[in-house]
Amino acid sequence: MHFSGVFPILATPFDHDEGLDLDSFRRSIEFMIEIGVDGITVLGILGEANRLVDRERNALITAAVETSSGRIPVIAGSTHHGTRATVELCREAAACGASAVMITPSREPTPSDDQIVEYVSMVAEVTALPLILQDHPASTQVHMSVPLISRIIESVPNVVCLKEEAPPVPPRISALLPTLRKNQVTLLTALGGLYGAFELERGSDGFMTGFAFPEVLLAMTKAAREGDMNRVYAIYTRFLPLIVFEQQPGLAIRKEIYRLRACFRGNRVRHPGATIDPPAAKQLAGVLERVLPGVDITRPIPV
Amino acid sequence: MHFSGVFPILATPFDHDEGLDLDSFRRSIEFMIEIGVDGITVLGILGEANRLVDRERNALITAAVETSSGRIPVIAGSTHHGTRATVELCREAAACGASAVMITPSREPTPSDDQIVEYVSMVAEVTALPLILQDHPASTQVHMSVPLISRIIESVPNVVCLKEEAPPVPPRISALLPTLRKNQVTLLTALGGLYGAFELERGSDGFMTGFAFPEVLLAMTKAAREGDMNRVYAIYTRFLPLIVFEQQPGLAIRKEIYRLRACFRGNRVRHPGATIDPPAAKQLAGVLERVLPGVDITRPIPV
Amino acid sequence: MHFSGVFPILATPFDHDEGLDLDSFRRSIEFMIEIGVDGITVLGILGEANRLVDRERNALITAAVETSSGRIPVIAGSTHHGTRATVELCREAAACGASAVMITPSREPTPSDDQIVEYVSMVAEVTALPLILQDHPASTQVHMSVPLISRIIESVPNVVCLKEEAPPVPPRISALLPTLRKNQVTLLTALGGLYGAFELERGSDGFMTGFAFPEVLLAMTKAAREGDMNRVYAIYTRFLPLIVFEQQPGLAIRKEIYRLRACFRGNRVRHPGATIDPPAAKQLAGVLERVLPGVDITRPIPV
Amino acid sequence: MHFSGVFPILATPFDHDEGLDLDSFRRSIEFMIEIGVDGITVLGILGEANRLVDRERNALITAAVETSSGRIPVIAGSTHHGTRATVELCREAAACGASAVMITPSREPTPSDDQIVEYVSMVAEVTALPLILQDHPASTQVHMSVPLISRIIESVPNVVCLKEEAPPVPPRISALLPTLRKNQVTLLTALGGLYGAFELERGSDGFMTGFAFPEVLLAMTKAAREGDMNRVYAIYTRFLPLIVFEQQPGLAIRKEIYRLRACFRGNRVRHPGATIDPPAAKQLAGVLERVLPGVDITRPIPV
């Protein structure tokens, strides 16, 4: 398993009652496989993992593993407050058949660098699965320095991939790559693809993010691998208004796109998160029409 | 059920491996009953609820309900990110036999006043149990104004008690009491009893906090009910060095006291929380000897 | 004075020693006037206002007023912790000849809605100048709800403009516009122009932001006024890679562009802010070459 | 100059209009000298330094220097966002005659350990005055680890004193003392004296805090120096209700005590800080009467 390429963070579909809609979930996974992604990540922040109870977590991992049935790896976000609870979630993820787990340190209690290294090491010790380390201070309120991340990479061999999303990301990529390469650790970026071209230019290995048109990120990643930065920028520029619009805070827009792409039956976000309102849906429709005029988005789009 | 008096927030005992130590947990509940508390709260922040998986939550609620077996009410902290997940935890708590649930809003996404009212209302709608509303910005990062809390009290009849711990607490008590009294809602305070005398003087109905000597809070509450503020202050002054020492950030001290009181076999705090180190244990022993010279603290202490 | 159109937030140029470089500052103002902006704002966050002492503040306002010499209005960011100090800064700004002041509430002590209204009212009472109210939680850590902003607009007539930059901004524009229009208050947006097309589509009146090519924002605003959203989107899409790249956290990129545009002699950011490093400067040069191939950016660019 | 003993952080008195009341300020300094403090600190957080403009800062330092006229050292809080502005404030403080300056790093931009060391080093380089390093995450939102503080102490010789107030403080004292002693750096604690006995027991050198009865802290420090921990605890226990009451968030109580002690004419806190209300004033009066029955607090109190 090599964590380079495009690994969408899946949204979690809910019915009108905010219960899990596993049919929609499975449909979105089939669609991702059809699109040709390199793997999928469930239970990220964008999957509203923080608004799910454990039973729901397991149902989603299980559904993802069954649906993908070995065609692509399934990564399970498994962060919890405290090391032991993270370990428990990693075990559950493994028991449900996940291929890898993604973890990130928590702000409580205010962690020292040593405690963060311990956290990752202790989870790694009891988890047979490969680890993806997530660096997303916007959600964790934990700011990891480049030396700290390097130290983790050097000392915890299970960490096979860094999900780097602490802006400004491009200089961090340049600062981290030597250590990552030396340790055969890949670097994926996120933030909805907002800085995608700049990140690929710096040497990132692809994306693990929730942008609802992974076709775009796949094409950019492929062009970058072929050294064709002109094509990377051309694709990026063409889709950037949609990328920018889609990565606005909240999940309403993304879930509406999943609905428009015929993956999800509904677009419900769990309260107190906001579901899309008609003016925003109309504005989104306008953006889609401008960026993808006449394209059937219920099918993989040509890029 | 009337939520006035003293309701200790129980710590969660772990073995050397950080697994649940239910024997110690049950012993601490028997001890609380012997001490004469009015109820117990499990799965508060001080119970390291944020470091437990759901299965462990249920095991603790069940153990508490079985051990207390109707002698005192068991309140279960049931806060989760998002309204639906909170509802799920409340349902589980009810299924495990809890007498009431305690909830508090979350900071993500940044909630408006309206969303906080909705959060409490929606939980109340599907929960038959009485609700305790917790106001603890230090852990939630949510600052509720006095008008907002009053609005919740007025509009959600299930809320039977306010756990007020947004310092400075005394002026908030005076500002909130008229609305609370009008709606037959009690007010308990917390923060380890740090401001206990000042809060009782303002008219609070008792405590829901983790101070490991609830005998002291019971005696203060009793004296306040009898209008004997001199006695309240005398008890408060006598025990204040211990109260101050014990409420320092972290749980290490409190868990060591539970061990010294022969409730808990060990004093382990879940990583990355810190377990007490020898110098701190020595300093605690010194404080205990100064405040309770020669007293057997494995028995309810005389106040 | 009507606050619609484009009002760049000026960067503050420093010499190698981090002292004020007023020559560069004046040059950037002349350039802005040549570009045709509707006004300028000094001492915003992007002007590193928080890293300046009062003497430097006054020097900058004075230089801006002298340089613009009535050709365009000069708005002075005048926020301070506490109401009285904000009043003092507003007075100083007025004494230095500013045309208007921009203020925003502070997080300390955690303000209630009432206190925020008081803050704006009290400043307005003693300030003859028009007030711009800034809503930028990313820097203030204060989250103002739509009802709160509406309440301020209704109750403080001096507020003539809202600088709205609490994402997601588009729905807030729709929610706020009726109250703003009724009270003849304009709405400008910011965040480096990141969501510019979507904001204009919702009815915003222009921009008050630091994007170093205000020509682009001017052209978009003009097209929006003419009802030509196709042109707005065409301009937006063309420049979006540059807009996205430029609005990354930190000021290094923006100051380098000011240098490349021959406004600033240097690109120094005050420590501990980071000045641009060679790889980032190279990446910026690449983006500029892609978006503005062969264009002399030391002159106003054609859009 | 040796920074051990008791150095009160002075409050800043305002008149009804929130203007500086320098008469009251001078009176409070004379009173402190009469009490026998080892020095005074102006422009701390408790001095509402963040709500003052630079002109007011200088007026206060000058008044403090003139009033103390060499009898005791005057330390000036000189923290600003950004290194250069901090340097400017330190220069101004020196020009006004301050004996030492106190600084602390800022949260913006999120500082790495290296940047914090740079910040202190760069300030030290251009400041002839001794430096006090403040560690108060509650106000700065910057969490410095023990290794980081040790590194600063080792590498910046100008730092002569650490003001340690990151709770839990006692274990940090034990962890830091070897490095501090080796470098002849003293350690003072704060937080209103809340943990005073426990801190002295761990080897702290005294207090730099705003508790309005420094007589108490002087007596405790003296007893600790004489190795009489019984006396330390006896004093601490006697005054603890007052210490606890006084250190509640906000400055209202402290300023009312300064008024009651006949230092300040009024008790005004700058808006949006809250001035004491009648119920709180009454409660304070009650606490004072319980702790200091019949004592004339307008004179130095016997401890």
Side-chain angles (χ1 to χ4, degrees):
Chain A
M1 221 172 339
H2 188 64
F3 293 92
S4 94
V6 176
F7 298 74
I9 307 269
L10 295 189
T12 301
F14 299 114
D15 56 29
H16 282 303
D17 209 33
E18 296 195 10
L20 291 187
D21 173 2
L22 291 178
D23 284 349
S24 292
F25 189 59
R26 289 195 196 94
R27 202 154 45 231
S28 70
I29 293 169
E30 286 293 353
F31 195 57
M32 290 298 146
I33 293 171
E34 195 181 349
I35 283 170
V37 303
D38 297 284
I40 50 173
T41 302
V42 301
L43 299 167
I45 298 151
L46 303 178
E48 290 170 84
N50 63 336
R51 297 176 190 149
L52 299 170
V53 295
D54 294 353
R55 182 175 38 76
E56 294 171 321
R57 293 178 47 83
N58 291 346
L60 286 162
I61 301 173
T62 302
V65 169
E66 284 174 6
T67 306
S68 63
S69 66
R71 290 177 288 173
I72 51 170
V74 173
I75 300 145
S78 301
T79 298
H80 202 301
H81 295 272
T83 308
R84 169 74 185 234
T86 301
V87 164
E88 294 289 332
L89 293 193
C90 289
R91 275 183 186 143
E92 299 252 11
C96 295
S99 321
V101 288
M102 178 170 70
I103 63 166
T104 190
S106 299
R107 77 172 185 92
E108 191 283 327
T110 310
S112 67
D113 283 10
D114 287 352
Q115 282 173 319
I116 293 174
V117 174
E118 281 166 23
Y119 168 77
V120 181
S121 301
M122 288 165 73
V123 173
E125 240 163 67
V126 295
T127 305
L129 299 179
L131 251 64
I132 286 109
L133 177 65
Q134 182 182 22
D135 178 24
H136 188 231
S139 64
T140 61
Q141 303 182 283
V142 175
H143 297 267
M144 294 193 276
S145 67
V146 165
L148 171 57
I149 293 177
S150 301
R151 188 178 150 200
I152 295 171
I153 298 301
E154 296 275 8
S155 59
V156 190
N158 290 31
V159 176
V160 296
C161 175
L162 173 65
K163 181 173 196 271
E164 177 53 51
E165 40 186 339
V169 179
R172 286 173 78 85
I173 294 174
S174 298
L176 286 162
L177 268 191
T179 303
L180 295 173
R181 292 285 181 256
K182 202 180 107 200
N183 292 276
Q184 278 96 48
V185 174
T186 59
L187 185 152
L188 301 177
T189 62
L191 301 171
L194 184 61
Y195 303 107
F198 314 127
E199 292 161 345
L200 289 169
E201 196 169 44
R202 292 286 191 134
S204 67
D205 298 300
F207 299 93
M208 185 179 285
T209 192
F211 181 53
F213 291 90
E215 299 95 318
V216 175
L217 305 177
L218 279 164
M220 285 171 62
T221 303
K222 180 164 176 289
R225 275 185 194 149
E226 293 164 356
D228 187 353
M229 279 311 297
N230 286 340
R231 178 155 163 72
V232 170
Y233 269 99
I235 302 167
Y236 180 64
T237 302
R238 178 175 159 216
F239 287 97
L240 200 44
L242 179 56
I243 290 172
V244 167
F245 190 81
E246 204 242 17
Q247 61 79 56
Q248 292 182 80
L251 295 164
I253 295 164
R254 186 158 296 160
K255 293 189 103 163
E256 168 68 356
I257 299 181
Y258 270 100
R259 194 188 66 80
L260 293 172
R261 300 201 79 176
C263 290
F264 287 4
R265 208 164 12 225
N267 56 16
R268 183 61 59 107
V269 177
R270 278 199 168 174
H271 187 273
T275 299
I276 203 162
D277 65 4
K282 191 180 153 223
Q283 193 164 32
L284 167 62
V287 176
L288 285 170
E289 184 52 33
R290 286 181 193 283
V291 173
L292 290 162
V295 175
D296 175 8
I297 63 172
T298 68
R299 305 293 316 142
I301 62 166
V303 180
Chain B
M1 220 173 340
H2 188 63
F3 293 92
S4 93
V6 177
F7 298 74
I9 307 269
L10 295 189
T12 302
F14 300 114
D15 57 29
H16 282 301
D17 209 34
E18 296 195 11
L20 292 186
D21 173 3
L22 291 178
D23 283 350
S24 292
F25 189 59
R26 289 195 196 94
R27 203 155 44 232
S28 71
I29 294 169
E30 286 293 352
F31 196 56
M32 290 298 145
I33 292 172
E34 195 181 349
I35 283 170
V37 303
D38 298 284
I40 50 172
T41 302
V42 301
L43 298 168
I45 298 151
L46 303 178
E48 291 169 83
N50 63 336
R51 298 177 189 147
L52 299 170
V53 295
D54 294 353
R55 182 174 39 76
E56 293 170 322
R57 293 178 48 84
N58 292 345
L60 287 162
I61 301 172
T62 301
V65 169
E66 284 174 7
T67 306
S68 64
S69 66
R71 290 177 289 173
I72 50 169
V74 173
I75 300 146
S78 301
T79 297
H80 203 301
H81 294 272
T83 309
R84 169 74 184 234
T86 301
V87 164
E88 294 289 332
L89 293 192
C90 289
R91 275 183 186 143
E92 299 252 10
C96 295
S99 320
V101 288
M102 178 170 71
I103 64 166
T104 190
S106 299
R107 76 170 185 93
E108 192 283 327
T110 310
S112 66
D113 283 10
D114 287 353
Q115 282 173 318
I116 293 174
V117 174
E118 281 166 23
Y119 168 78
V120 181
S121 302
M122 288 165 73
V123 173
E125 241 163 67
V126 296
T127 304
L129 298 178
L131 251 63
I132 286 109
L133 176 66
Q134 182 181 22
D135 177 25
H136 188 231
S139 63
T140 62
Q141 303 181 282
V142 175
H143 297 267
M144 295 193 276
S145 67
V146 165
L148 171 58
I149 293 177
S150 300
R151 188 178 150 199
I152 295 171
I153 297 301
E154 296 274 8
S155 59
V156 189
N158 290 31
V159 177
V160 296
C161 175
L162 173 66
K163 183 173 195 270
E164 177 54 51
E165 41 186 339
V169 178
R172 286 174 77 86
I173 294 174
S174 299
L176 286 162
L177 267 191
T179 303
L180 295 172
R181 292 286 181 254
K182 202 181 107 200
N183 293 275
Q184 278 96 48
V185 173
T186 60
L187 185 152
L188 302 177
T189 63
L191 301 171
L194 183 60
Y195 303 107
F198 315 127
E199 292 161 345
L200 289 168
E201 197 168 44
R202 293 285 191 134
S204 67
D205 298 300
F207 298 94
M208 185 179 286
T209 191
F211 181 53
F213 291 91
E215 300 95 318
V216 175
L217 305 177
L218 280 163
M220 285 170 62
T221 303
K222 180 165 175 289
R225 275 185 192 150
E226 294 164 355
D228 187 353
M229 279 311 298
N230 286 340
R231 179 155 161 72
V232 169
Y233 268 99
I235 302 168
Y236 179 65
T237 302
R238 180 176 158 215
F239 286 96
L240 199 45
L242 179 56
I243 290 172
V244 167
F245 189 81
E246 204 243 17
Q247 60 79 55
Q248 292 181 79
L251 296 166
I253 295 163
R254 187 158 296 160
K255 294 189 103 164
E256 168 68 357
I257 299 180
Y258 271 100
R259 193 188 66 80
L260 294 171
R261 299 201 80 175
C263 290
F264 288 3
R265 209 166 8 227
N267 57 17
R268 183 61 59 107
V269 177
R270 278 200 167 172
H271 186 272
T275 299
I276 203 162
D277 65 5
K282 192 181 152 222
Q283 193 165 31
L284 168 62
V287 176
L288 286 170
E289 184 53 32
R290 286 182 193 283
V291 174
L292 291 162
V295 175
D296 175 8
I297 64 171
T298 68
R299 304 294 314 143
I301 62 166
V303 179
Chain C
M1 217 172 341
H2 188 64
F3 293 93
S4 94
V6 176
F7 298 75
I9 307 269
L10 294 188
T12 300
F14 300 114
D15 57 28
H16 282 302
D17 209 32
E18 297 195 8
L20 291 187
D21 173 3
L22 290 178
D23 284 349
S24 292
F25 188 60
R26 289 194 196 94
R27 202 155 43 232
S28 70
I29 294 169
E30 285 294 352
F31 195 57
M32 290 298 146
I33 293 171
E34 196 181 348
I35 283 170
V37 303
D38 298 284
I40 50 173
T41 301
V42 301
L43 298 167
I45 298 151
L46 303 178
E48 290 169 84
N50 63 336
R51 298 177 189 147
L52 300 170
V53 295
D54 294 353
R55 182 175 39 77
E56 294 171 322
R57 291 179 48 85
N58 292 345
L60 286 163
I61 301 173
T62 302
V65 169
E66 285 175 7
T67 305
S68 65
S69 66
R71 291 177 288 173
I72 50 169
V74 173
I75 300 146
S78 301
T79 298
H80 203 303
H81 294 271
T83 309
R84 170 72 184 234
T86 301
V87 163
E88 294 289 331
L89 292 193
C90 289
R91 275 183 186 141
E92 299 253 12
C96 294
S99 320
V101 288
M102 178 170 70
I103 64 166
T104 190
S106 298
R107 77 171 184 94
E108 192 283 327
T110 309
S112 66
D113 283 10
D114 286 353
Q115 282 173 319
I116 293 174
V117 174
E118 281 167 24
Y119 168 77
V120 180
S121 301
M122 289 165 72
V123 173
E125 241 163 65
V126 296
T127 305
L129 298 178
L131 252 63
I132 287 108
L133 176 65
Q134 182 181 22
D135 177 24
H136 188 229
S139 64
T140 61
Q141 305 181 281
V142 175
H143 297 268
M144 294 194 276
S145 66
V146 164
L148 171 58
I149 294 177
S150 300
R151 187 177 150 199
I152 296 171
I153 298 301
E154 296 275 8
S155 60
V156 190
N158 290 31
V159 175
V160 297
C161 175
L162 174 66
K163 182 174 196 271
E164 177 53 50
E165 41 186 339
V169 178
R172 286 173 78 85
I173 295 175
S174 299
L176 286 161
L177 268 191
T179 303
L180 296 173
R181 292 286 180 256
K182 202 181 108 199
N183 291 277
Q184 278 97 47
V185 174
T186 59
L187 186 152
L188 302 177
T189 63
L191 301 171
L194 183 61
Y195 303 107
F198 314 126
E199 292 160 346
L200 289 169
E201 196 169 44
R202 292 283 192 137
S204 67
D205 298 300
F207 298 93
M208 185 178 287
T209 191
F211 181 53
F213 292 90
E215 300 95 318
V216 174
L217 305 177
L218 280 164
M220 284 170 62
T221 304
K222 181 165 174 291
R225 276 184 193 149
E226 294 164 356
D228 188 352
M229 279 310 299
N230 285 339
R231 180 157 161 71
V232 170
Y233 269 98
I235 302 168
Y236 179 64
T237 301
R238 179 177 157 213
F239 287 97
L240 199 44
L242 179 56
I243 289 172
V244 168
F245 190 81
E246 205 242 16
Q247 60 79 55
Q248 291 181 81
L251 295 164
I253 296 164
R254 188 159 294 160
K255 295 189 102 163
E256 169 68 357
I257 300 180
Y258 270 100
R259 193 188 67 81
L260 293 172
R261 301 202 78 176
C263 289
F264 287 3
R265 207 163 13 224
N267 56 16
R268 183 59 60 108
V269 177
R270 279 199 166 173
H271 186 273
T275 299
I276 204 163
D277 64 6
K282 191 181 153 223
Q283 192 165 31
L284 168 63
V287 176
L288 285 170
E289 184 52 31
R290 285 181 193 282
V291 174
L292 291 161
V295 175
D296 176 9
I297 63 172
T298 69
R299 305 293 314 142
I301 61 166
V303 179
Chain D
M1 216 171 346
H2 188 64
F3 293 93
S4 94
V6 176
F7 298 75
I9 307 269
L10 294 189
T12 301
F14 300 115
D15 56 28
H16 282 302
D17 209 33
E18 297 195 7
L20 292 186
D21 172 3
L22 291 178
D23 284 350
S24 292
F25 188 60
R26 288 195 196 94
R27 202 155 44 232
S28 70
I29 293 169
E30 285 294 352
F31 195 57
M32 291 298 146
I33 292 171
E34 196 181 349
I35 284 171
V37 303
D38 298 283
I40 50 172
T41 301
V42 300
L43 298 168
I45 298 151
L46 302 179
E48 290 170 84
N50 63 335
R51 298 177 189 147
L52 300 169
V53 296
D54 294 353
R55 182 174 39 76
E56 293 171 321
R57 291 179 47 86
N58 292 345
L60 286 162
I61 301 173
T62 302
V65 169
E66 284 174 7
T67 305
S68 64
S69 66
R71 291 177 288 173
I72 50 169
V74 173
I75 300 145
S78 300
T79 298
H80 203 301
H81 294 272
T83 309
R84 170 73 183 235
T86 301
V87 164
E88 294 289 331
L89 292 193
C90 289
R91 276 183 186 141
E92 299 253 10
C96 294
S99 319
V101 288
M102 178 169 70
I103 63 166
T104 190
S106 299
R107 78 171 185 94
E108 192 283 327
T110 310
S112 65
D113 283 9
D114 287 352
Q115 282 173 318
I116 293 174
V117 175
E118 281 167 23
Y119 168 78
V120 181
S121 301
M122 289 166 72
V123 173
E125 241 163 67
V126 297
T127 305
L129 297 179
L131 250 63
I132 286 108
L133 177 65
Q134 183 181 21
D135 177 25
H136 188 230
S139 64
T140 61
Q141 303 181 281
V142 175
H143 297 267
M144 294 194 276
S145 67
V146 165
L148 171 58
I149 294 177
S150 300
R151 187 177 150 199
I152 295 172
I153 298 301
E154 295 275 8
S155 60
V156 190
N158 290 31
V159 176
V160 297
C161 175
L162 173 66
K163 182 174 196 271
E164 177 54 51
E165 41 186 339
V169 179
R172 286 173 77 87
I173 295 175
S174 299
L176 286 162
L177 267 191
T179 303
L180 296 172
R181 292 287 180 255
K182 202 181 108 199
N183 292 276
Q184 279 95 48
V185 174
T186 59
L187 185 151
L188 302 177
T189 62
L191 301 171
L194 182 61
Y195 303 107
F198 314 126
E199 292 160 345
L200 290 168
E201 197 170 43
R202 292 284 192 136
S204 67
D205 298 300
F207 298 94
M208 185 178 286
T209 190
F211 181 53
F213 291 91
E215 300 96 318
V216 175
L217 305 177
L218 281 163
M220 284 169 63
T221 303
K222 181 165 174 291
R225 275 183 194 151
E226 294 164 355
D228 187 352
M229 279 310 299
N230 286 338
R231 180 155 161 71
V232 170
Y233 269 99
I235 302 168
Y236 178 64
T237 301
R238 179 177 158 215
F239 287 97
L240 199 45
L242 180 55
I243 289 172
V244 168
F245 190 81
E246 205 241 17
Q247 59 80 55
Q248 291 181 81
L251 296 165
I253 295 164
R254 188 159 293 161
K255 295 190 102 163
E256 169 69 356
I257 299 180
Y258 271 100
R259 194 189 67 80
L260 293 172
R261 300 201 79 175
C263 289
F264 287 3
R265 207 162 13 224
N267 56 17
R268 183 61 59 108
V269 177
R270 279 199 167 173
H271 187 273
T275 300
I276 203 162
D277 64 5
K282 191 181 154 224
Q283 193 165 32
L284 168 63
V287 175
L288 285 170
E289 184 53 31
R290 285 180 193 282
V291 173
L292 291 161
V295 175
D296 176 8
I297 64 171
T298 69
R299 305 293 314 142
I301 62 166
V303 179

